[in-house]
Amino acid sequence: MVPFAIGSETAGSMTYPAARCGVTALRPTFGSVGRTGVMSISESLDKLGPFCRTAADCAIILDAIRGKDPDDLSSRDISLDNPFTVDITKLTVGYLDDAEMEVIEVLKTKGVNMVPFKLNYTVESVQGILNFTMDVDMLAHFDEWQRQGKDAVYEAQDQWPVELRRARMISVVDYVQAQRARGKLIREVREGFEVDAFVGNATDWEKVCLGNLVGIPIIVVPTGFTSISNLPSGGSKRRTTLNTGIYAPPEKDHIALALAMAYQSVTDHHKQRPPIDDLAPDELAPGRESVVYPSRRLHM
């Protein structure tokens, strides 16, 4: 309902909502966008990026918000090459086993060299590294809040208060070892990035953890819809979203954007809207009556 929105991600808080809602979103290279004024969870993981209707919009918004923030020491002046002028026929793009094949075929027809790809790394327990990093960083931010007992009135006692208390049990040695493993993971992923980009599942938890630990950009692209499970007896027009992720090496956000724009130039999945005013009576929430909404009009 808006031209764009700004999201933040530590471990999936952009990729998962974008995938669920069927919108296009870019989680850019770590450090691309300053985070002043945003509630931090983990200074070495938090990233800001745009939710938009299209990849082209994501490119425009990223160009407007990127840059060095004097109050955010992790931010940098990372150059953004023009994604609108990338010659995608000169790119070699990998695809993982879990990639949406329609995306592969569309990019092939656009002249992209598509090849099978596997991202190899030897580091184990990527999720464990992310948990150690995020929890300890988060506790450092909310240490005083918890020590003063303010977490006692938090509305969900089984969630963040417990998570922060658990983080106090992580030893310094374990935390340092996790950061050593993270450094090794970053080196291995960067060295193993033998393609210009790759296509794969955007919400696979291993990839979400890996992408955030390494700081690589991903653009989440809607690729279609499928029927919901447990259909009502009379059938339903309700559907759930399908999507894919296009991953690029750090500081190569323009490559992911260019490929997403190429895909969206010949598909219309990103233009679809939920049938909020065209549901059957048995699809409404209990106690709700059907409401007829007027057609959308552009007011000039």
Side-chain angles (χ1 to χ4, degrees):
M1 292 187 289
V2 294
F4 69 92
I6 305 298
S8 64
E9 174 157 328
T10 307
S13 294
M14 289 190 66
T15 47
Y16 282 104
R20 173 63 69 183
C21 297
V23 298
T24 307
L26 173 69
R27 185 193 73 207
T29 298
F30 176 79
S32 298
V33 182
R35 302 166 298 185
T36 300
V38 176
M39 189 192 80
S40 180
I41 291 182
S42 172
E43 289 183 352
S44 68
L45 292 170
D46 297 340
K47 292 160 287 292
L48 303 183
F51 288 92
C52 299
R53 296 187 178 104
T54 69
D57 287 348
C58 285
I60 293 168
I61 301 305
L62 177 63
D63 192 39
I65 64 177
R66 69 185 175 89
K68 175 68 177 175
D69 178 351
D71 295 320
D72 180 358
L73 299 181
S74 295
S75 65
R76 295 173 291 153
D77 279 319
I78 299 175
S79 63
L80 177 66
D81 291 348
N82 188 349
F84 295 95
T85 59
V86 172
D87 184 356
I88 60 173
T89 63
K90 295 182 179 179
L91 300 178
T92 297
V93 175
Y95 57 92
L96 305 183
D97 292 340
D98 58 8
E100 284 286 332
M101 290 310 298
E102 185 212 35
V103 179
I104 311 306
E105 296 304 321
V106 167
L107 291 179
K108 279 183 179 179
T109 64
K110 300 288 285 186
V112 180
N113 180 31
M114 304 296 300
V115 297
F117 179 68
K118 182 175 177 59
L119 193 60
N120 295 311
Y121 51 92
T122 63
V123 174
E124 298 180 357
S125 189
V126 172
Q127 179 180 345
I129 298 170
L130 184 134
N131 286 344
F132 272 35
T133 302
M134 181 177 72
D135 287 357
V136 172
D137 285 359
M138 182 168 53
L139 176 59
H141 281 288
F142 294 100
D143 180 40
E144 183 178 355
W145 175 74
Q146 191 170 63
R147 287 180 184 275
Q148 291 179 355
K150 294 180 180 179
D151 63 338
V153 296
Y154 190 77
E155 66 271 17
Q157 282 296 305
D158 60 338
Q159 295 179 8
W160 292 118
V162 173
E163 191 81 8
L164 294 174
R165 291 169 194 145
R166 187 183 297 121
R168 292 189 185 278
M169 305 302 295
I170 299 174
S171 71
V172 173
V173 172
D174 289 338
Y175 180 79
V176 170
Q177 295 287 32
Q179 299 319 300
R180 287 175 173 173
R182 182 184 183 183
K184 182 179 179 181
L185 177 68
I186 291 172
R187 291 192 299 273
E188 289 184 340
V189 169
R190 293 194 178 204
E191 291 170 0
F193 225 118
E194 299 173 344
V195 290
D196 295 299
F198 68 85
V199 180
N201 190 310
T203 56
D204 174 76
W205 184 232
E206 177 85 358
K207 295 185 189 68
V208 170
C209 293
L210 182 146
N212 279 289
L213 285 168
V214 179
I216 60 177
I218 174 179
I219 185 163
V220 182
V221 180
T223 58
F225 301 88
T226 187
S227 296
I228 63 169
S229 57
N230 302 318
L231 287 169
S233 58
S236 174
K237 293 184 179 180
R238 293 169 59 200
R239 295 173 294 171
T240 188
T241 56
L242 299 173
N243 59 84
T244 200
I246 301 177
Y247 301 77
E251 303 185 18
K252 299 293 183 181
D253 305 57
H254 67 290
I255 299 295
L257 287 164
L259 291 167
M261 287 191 291
Y263 173 74
Q264 291 184 336
S265 70
V266 293
T267 60
D268 66 352
H269 304 306
H270 59 290
K271 298 178 181 179
Q272 304 301 311
R273 297 290 180 266
I276 58 173
D277 56 353
D278 190 20
L279 296 178
D282 59 353
E283 295 182 281
L284 299 173
R288 294 288 299 275
E289 295 181 357
S290 179
V291 178
V292 178
Y293 294 92
S295 300
R296 296 181 181 181
R297 291 180 297 170
L298 180 62
H299 297 279
M300 299 297 291

